[in-house]
Amino acid sequence: MFLEPQRTYIFTFLLSSRVFIPPHDLLARVGQICLEQRQQLEAGSDKARLKSFSAKIVQLLKEWTEAFPYDFQDEKAMAELKAITHRVTQCDEENCTVKKAIAQMTQSLLLSLAARSQLQELREKLRSPAMDKGPILKAKPPAAQKDILGVCCDPLVLAQQLTHIELERVSSIHPEDLMQIVSHMDSRDKHRCRGDLIKTYSLEAYDNWFNCLSMLVATEVCRVVKKKHRTRMLEFFIDVARECFNIGNFNSMMAIISGMNLSPVARLKKTWSKVKTAKFDVLEHHMDPSSNFCNYRTALQGATQRSQMANSSREKIVIPVFNLFVKDIYFLHKIHTNHLPNGHINFKKFWDISRQIHEFMTWTQVECPFEKDKKIQSYLLTAPIYSEEALFIASFESEGPENHMEKDSWKTLRTTLLNRA
């Protein structure tokens, strides 16, 4: 008897199997099993079981091609798929439904591969850091240069445009990209950290976006000459982070807070003394790292529940802090073994990892409900950002060094600048 496999089971199996066997090898095994089962069932003249078997194989292939179309991008995998579908069709030649399902599956797969190929070509064009996030400034630009407040002075609108960018970038991440983190952990030295792992471009680009947003926030604050305007800039970003939190965009919120906590910004005590920090304190409370970010996880759970009960796209938005999400997968992988004492695969471990990845993928597929503002997005993605050195120079020029350590750092920076000149 062939039981109806659940979609969640198939997804978990196909996702976790790549830790143990390459997808093209698994596909070849499926093809071999398909051939053997067909021969056995034909020998017994059990047409009912043969048809049932064919239906289950079609379901497996349909789920596989929809969830992981990139597994079929090379000619060898596509040839194996065609061979399997041909055998399946022969098992139930009288059933037009099977033929129709296979034809629709093949057409959808080709469309998915074509779309991903076009996206990959676009990524290659945008791969250079200069294109991805503007030039890195080595010196402070003229004070008259346009800043973020000259482009958008509404915190809610800026938070919405940040959400647009987040959803566009995160939508290019696929389940196999995330599982690749786990598979590379197994193939590397146990003491290597995530930064040493081979990452797909989608993951790398999303990591870079977080860092660039943090540096942009710090740049926008440090480049302002007048203390009154710096205070306004800090308060503006605090409001933007709060709006991100309300939307469910935790990744941008964390990036903004990280930018304001960078040393060149955090050391501006005279500026911070003028800032109404009550709202900032609330944000930092949400992102308090104690107890494994307990407060953030509570907020994320609330956003998740809201998303599940949502009647509109606005309520469906959940963008977790990506680095924390990856760490959760990392620890799930590390604290549980791949195999049970009896040698069987620890399927519960991979079920838990798969469940988290599946939930993440559900969030990435939400369509952004906010109207896109090209002018604001262009600024966010291409505005020049300071190097770490330039940030410190701008910070010390705004508020001079206050202790021996800062005085030594400022002296070293000035010496470096003089030597370059």
Side-chain angles (χ1 to χ4, degrees), residues 254-294:
M254 179 65 101
I256 292 169
I257 293 174
S258 298
M260 289 190 286
N261 280 328
L262 289 174
S263 296
V265 180
R267 64 164 299 278
L268 297 172
K269 294 180 181 178
K270 293 177 183 177
T271 304
W272 278 102
S273 68
K274 301 296 181 180
V275 174
K276 298 174 183 177
T277 57
K279 288 183 283 189
F280 186 67
D281 293 340
V282 171
L283 293 174
E284 289 212 302
H285 172 75
H286 286 309
M287 293 301 170
D288 183 354
S290 62
S291 300
N292 193 23
F293 288 89
C294 178

Side-chain angles (χ1 to χ4, degrees), residues 151-394:
V151 178
C152 177
C153 59
D154 187 333
L156 175 58
V157 172
L158 190 64
Q160 291 174 345
Q161 296 310 305
L162 287 170
T163 303
H164 244 299
I165 295 171
E166 292 278 355
L167 287 174
E168 283 179 5
R169 301 228 165 182
V170 80
S171 66
S172 66
I173 296 175
H174 303 288
E176 60 267 35
D177 298 333
L178 297 167
M179 187 53 79
Q180 183 173 300
I181 297 169
V182 173
S183 59
H184 281 304
M185 286 174 190
D186 283 340
S187 62
R188 296 296 192 94
D189 183 343
K190 291 181 180 179
H191 300 289
R192 299 268 181 106
C193 65
R194 178 176 173 252
D196 297 320
L197 305 175
I198 299 171
K199 293 188 285 185
T200 66
Y201 178 64
S202 297
L203 299 179
E204 186 180 333
Y206 198 46
D207 269 346
N208 288 343
W209 156 246
F210 181 96
N211 296 330
C212 286
L213 179 55
S214 295
M215 293 297 282
L216 175 64
V217 170
T219 298
E220 292 289 324
V221 174
C222 289
R223 66 193 285 262
V224 179
V225 176
K226 294 184 178 180
K227 181 171 65 177
K228 181 180 178 181
H229 292 163
R230 279 198 306 277
T231 302
R232 185 187 172 202
M233 187 68 75
L234 279 170
E235 291 180 339
F236 174 72
F237 277 118
I238 290 170
D239 288 338
V240 173
R242 187 177 64 166
E243 294 295 350
C244 285
F245 176 84
N246 293 336
I247 289 171
N249 181 359
F250 299 106
N251 201 57
S252 287
M253 173 191 172
M254 179 65 101
I256 292 169
I257 293 174
S258 298
M260 289 190 286
N261 280 328
L262 289 174
S263 296
V265 180
R267 64 164 299 278
L268 297 172
K269 294 180 181 178
K270 293 177 183 177
T271 304
W272 278 102
S273 68
K274 301 296 181 180
V275 174
K276 298 174 183 177
T277 57
K279 288 183 283 189
F280 186 67
D281 293 340
V282 171
L283 293 174
E284 289 212 302
H285 172 75
H286 286 309
M287 293 301 170
D288 183 354
S290 62
S291 300
N292 193 23
F293 288 89
C294 178
N295 297 337
Y296 158 70
R297 294 182 189 283
T298 301
L300 179 64
Q301 186 179 13
T304 302
Q305 291 172 348
R306 179 187 68 183
S307 178
Q308 291 169 348
M309 305 291 289
N311 295 316
S312 67
S313 296
R314 290 187 178 220
E315 295 173 327
K316 289 182 180 178
I317 297 172
V318 181
I319 306 172
V321 178
F322 188 63
N323 283 334
L324 292 181
F325 173 77
V326 170
K327 285 179 182 177
D328 286 345
I329 294 178
Y330 174 87
F331 283 113
L332 261 179
H333 174 63
K334 282 299 179 185
I335 63 176
H336 300 292
T337 59
N338 286 350
H339 295 87
L340 298 173
N342 62 6
H344 292 173
I345 289 174
N346 186 358
F347 195 74
K348 186 182 183 303
K349 164 188 172 173
F350 291 102
W351 183 273
D352 290 339
I353 292 175
S354 174
R355 181 176 52 80
Q356 291 210 19
I357 290 177
H358 187 272
E359 185 175 48
F360 180 83
M361 298 313 301
T362 302
W363 296 333
T364 67
Q365 292 161 15
V366 173
E367 186 176 346
C368 189
F370 310 122
E371 186 177 348
K372 189 173 183 176
D373 189 311
K374 292 183 179 179
K375 183 180 177 183
I376 297 174
Q377 289 203 19
S378 176
Y379 187 89
L380 289 170
L381 294 170
T382 64
I385 56 175
Y386 286 1
S387 65
E388 186 177 359
E389 182 183 79
L391 280 174
F392 271 109
I393 292 171

